[in-house]
Amino acid sequence: MFNKLKQIGQALSPDAIRQGLAASRESLASGGQLSAEQLAAMTPEQRAQYEQAMADSRATVAANADAAIEREMERRVLFGPAGDWLYGPLPDRERMTDMNLQHQLAYSKAELKATLRNPLGRKPAPVAPPPVSADPGEQAAHELAQREEARTPYLSPERQPITFTRIATEPRSSVEQLCAWLGSSGLAGRPDLVYGVARVPDHLPGGLGIRKTAVVEWEVVHAAQTALPAVAPAVAAAFDARDTWAARRPGEPSIVDEDLGLEYLRFADLGPEQCLGLARQVAVDASGGGGGAEGGGSSPYVLIGVTGLLALHPAGTGAGAHERMTAARLLQVVPDPEAQVVVLNWGEVRKAVAPRPDKRPPVPSPFPYLPSTAGELLHSYLSIVGVRPQDCYSAQVTQDRPDNFVGGTGHVTTTGAESDVAADGQLRRRFRGGSRVVVVYRDSPAYAEGRQRWAAYERDVLQARLGNRTGLRSPVDKESRLDKGALGKLLRGVEAVGSFVEGEWDEKTLFDDVPYYRYCWPPVGG
């Protein structure tokens, strides 16, 4: 007993405590590794085992760090300055693989201080580079010229003219008026000059509130340079997203709207040179909200989403194709191996360059190297890959899942919106939607080379991975959350950055019965 007490006393002596603290500091400084003296005392076999264990540990740490960074890279759409602002800086591999415990404690201490300074994680507004002109028009033109200069080395030498023509139609007869305009413009007789047609995914309200739609705009992307003779109106085959066209089992890839359109063209025996466009049917449901006795009630919303698809082609073609397709369903609808379906995530870019759906993109732009509009991004893709209109099935700025595009920031929403000139020539309020750029075309070796140019441009100039987080053909879930009554939770969020509003969603909207997996819900079997 006396010897044990003596040993305890020696262990708790000031000298022993000082030696222990010094050893702990040395261990921290060396990342927990053994000292030179400890290594020298080892046998060769022990030394080899120790060094192998340390090498294995470093390799595991490095592999885990690389996997974590790759997961973060897949989660992001933007990199560079815009990505750092939107998501925060990328993980630091050097820090993640640093096995020095003292360094890790310092990192953690710095992170704790940053969290205490900004407990809610609010991002400061991005700071735009110094403008070259106080005139917004001149500044915007300067930024566009800079982007065009950066794009020039990547352009296809075989690119063809690209013209965007926007028309206005009445909401109740919108498709019929579009088909008539395609005929009167002569483009219905020259589908080989048409890249695609799209319903502009914006809401232009009429009257005092925001519920009523004043006009519906369509955008036709084409290569016509001269006037064409009028022909018969175009034909539009319509598909409802609520109808089950494709047979899918749980876990199998879903389809995109354009897959179904390509299937229709196969039934109609029509190629891209006879196709005027595969256009997603975009719809709007809006409400100014309602007040209660104590200021409660429903929140305002401008919901923009997809409810179906139009396949447009010249009159006199495709007779009976829709009926044959209907009789043959359920269909397999497998991706066409000879066609490229490209979906670009404009929604993430818009958060950086045009975060307010109720306002025009800010000038100067906080990130002037990024396109300021989805139309500019679409034009860039067509001209860099060199897609020809006679090979193009679809070229559109469009929507995917329903999003809420009311204005506002933080916890403040507004039903007001800036006005601009609509396609009918009238000055109208505009809520700017759109989350995807879609291009579908018949593939060829020349386009494979063009996609290599696009990949380099996307990487080096845009500093982006625009194919990330598009949900392209995501696996069908046996019990989709969004088809179990949780759609409102998604819709009640304002699309503008930092404007997600919690709370119950009691409103009934026209998207309530539109399945998350369009055209292939419910799944079969399983």
Side-chain angles (χ1 to χ4, degrees):
M1 176 67 70
F2 176 77
N3 288 335
K4 288 185 179 180
L5 291 174
K6 183 178 179 181
Q7 291 171 359
I8 293 172
Q10 290 174 344
L12 296 177
S13 68
D15 288 341
I17 292 175
R18 280 194 294 269
Q19 291 175 6
L21 291 174
S24 297
R25 285 193 294 268
E26 183 179 351
S27 178
L28 285 173
S30 61
Q33 302 179 50
L34 298 180
S35 66
E37 291 78 8
Q38 291 170 317
L39 291 173
M42 286 183 170
T43 66
E45 293 77 10
Q46 291 173 329
R47 179 71 174 266
Q49 290 176 354
Y50 168 77
E51 290 178 348
Q52 183 61 50
M54 292 302 297
D56 292 344
S57 178
R58 284 191 291 267
T60 300
V61 169
N64 290 339
D66 290 339
I69 291 173
E70 184 55 34
R71 286 194 298 270
E72 181 64 19
M73 295 282 283
E74 290 298 323
R75 185 184 75 86
R76 295 176 179 228
V77 175
L78 299 178
F79 301 87
D84 287 348
W85 174 77
L86 191 56
Y87 315 110
L90 276 169
D92 186 339
R93 188 181 188 278
E94 183 176 353
R95 174 198 167 171
M96 296 173 71
T97 56
D98 187 350
M99 298 180 67
N100 188 302
L101 301 181
Q102 196 170 27
H103 293 174
Q104 293 295 340
L105 289 174
Y107 294 141
S108 299
K109 185 177 180 180
E111 287 182 343
L112 177 60
K113 288 183 177 179
T115 301
L116 293 175
R117 286 194 297 266
N118 185 17
L120 298 180
R122 291 194 177 97
K123 296 188 294 286
V127 178
V132 299
S133 173
D135 180 82
E138 291 181 358
Q139 176 66 24
H142 167 76
E143 293 176 359
L144 177 59
Q146 294 285 93
R147 291 194 294 272
E148 290 176 340
E149 182 179 353
R151 186 165 58 241
T152 297
Y154 302 90
L155 293 174
S156 168
E158 306 299 327
R159 65 189 183 279
Q160 295 193 17
I162 303 170
T163 300
F164 289 76
T165 299
R166 189 168 288 198
I167 65 170
T169 61
E170 294 289 334
R172 293 187 178 182
S173 56
S174 180
V175 175
E176 293 82 355
Q177 291 183 39
L178 167 67
C179 291
W181 183 90
L182 288 168
S184 63
S185 69
L187 288 173
R190 293 295 309 273
D192 58 311
L193 293 178
V194 180
Y195 293 96
V197 176
R199 193 313 197 164
V200 177
D202 294 352
H203 177 46
L204 284 70
L208 298 178
I210 65 171
R211 181 179 292 275
K212 181 181 178 182
T213 298
V215 295
V216 170
E217 295 177 317
W218 293 84
E219 196 154 63
V220 183
V221 188
H222 60 90
Q225 300 297 290
T226 59
L228 300 172
V231 296
V235 173
F239 298 87
D240 194 315
R242 304 166 184 83
D243 294 337
T244 309
W245 286 93
R248 288 295 185 271
R249 295 184 180 276
E252 291 182 339
S254 58
I255 69 171
V256 290
D257 307 74
E258 293 72 28
D259 289 335
L260 184 63
L262 290 173
E263 186 78 1
Y264 168 78
L265 294 177
R266 186 178 69 82
F267 271 84
D269 195 24
L270 298 175
E273 65 280 344
Q274 298 165 297
C275 175
L276 292 165
L278 302 176
R280 297 186 183 186
Q281 290 207 71
V282 174
V284 176
D285 189 351
S287 172
E294 298 180 358
S298 60
S299 300
Y301 59 84
V302 175
L303 302 179
I304 303 177
V306 176
T307 58
L309 175 76
L310 295 176
L312 297 148
H313 52 87
T317 62
H322 197 282
E323 291 75 10
R324 292 192 297 273
M325 191 172 171
T326 301
R329 65 178 187 179
L330 295 175
L331 307 167
Q332 289 302 309
V333 192
V334 296
D336 186 341
E338 297 182 356
Q340 280 288 323
V341 177
V342 177
V343 181
L344 305 178
N345 194 332
W346 163 251
E348 291 294 290
V349 182
R350 184 171 51 78
K351 290 178 182 178
V353 299
R356 290 287 299 269
D358 56 335
K359 295 184 180 295
R360 291 182 287 274
V363 178
S365 172
F367 306 105
Y369 65 93
L370 291 173
S372 63
T373 67
E376 184 183 343
L377 180 61
L378 173 57
H379 190 287
S380 297
Y381 186 89
L382 293 172
S383 58
I384 289 174
V385 178
V387 179
R388 303 185 304 167
Q390 58 265 44
D391 290 328
C392 202
Y393 295 100
S394 178
Q396 56 181 326
V397 174
T398 188
Q399 189 65 27
D400 188 19
R401 310 302 174 195
D403 281 326
N404 192 359
F405 290 91
V406 300
T409 58
H411 296 287
V412 178
T413 60
T414 174
T415 58
E418 285 185 344
S419 299
D420 65 5
V421 178
D424 62 354
Q426 299 296 313
L427 194 65
R428 298 187 182 279
R429 290 182 295 156
R430 181 183 297 272
F431 291 90
R432 296 160 177 82
S435 63
R436 299 290 184 266
V437 167
V438 178
V439 185
V440 184
Y441 52 95
R442 179 171 52 198
D443 206 1
S444 72
Y447 295 147
E449 294 179 8
R451 288 193 294 276
Q452 292 179 1
R453 289 192 300 270
W454 173 258
Y457 171 75
E458 192 178 64
R459 179 188 66 244
D460 299 336
V461 178
L462 300 183
Q463 302 178 68
R465 291 184 178 182
L466 296 177
N468 282 0
R469 292 172 58 187
T470 60
L472 181 63
R473 302 190 183 100
S474 59
V476 174
D477 186 359
K478 183 176 181 180
E479 293 187 0
S480 171
R481 294 181 301 105
L482 300 180
D483 291 296
K484 291 290 184 179
L487 181 61
K489 186 173 182 180
L490 172 72
L491 298 183
R492 66 171 177 263
V494 180
E495 180 66 15
V497 174
S499 299
F500 189 82
V501 181
E502 292 292 342
E504 295 299 322
W505 183 273
D506 297 322
E507 292 292 322
K508 299 296 183 182
T509 80
L510 64 83
F511 300 106
D512 288 349
D513 59 348
V514 177
Y516 183 82
Y517 302 104
R518 298 190 290 272
Y519 317 106
C520 58
W521 186 263
V524 298

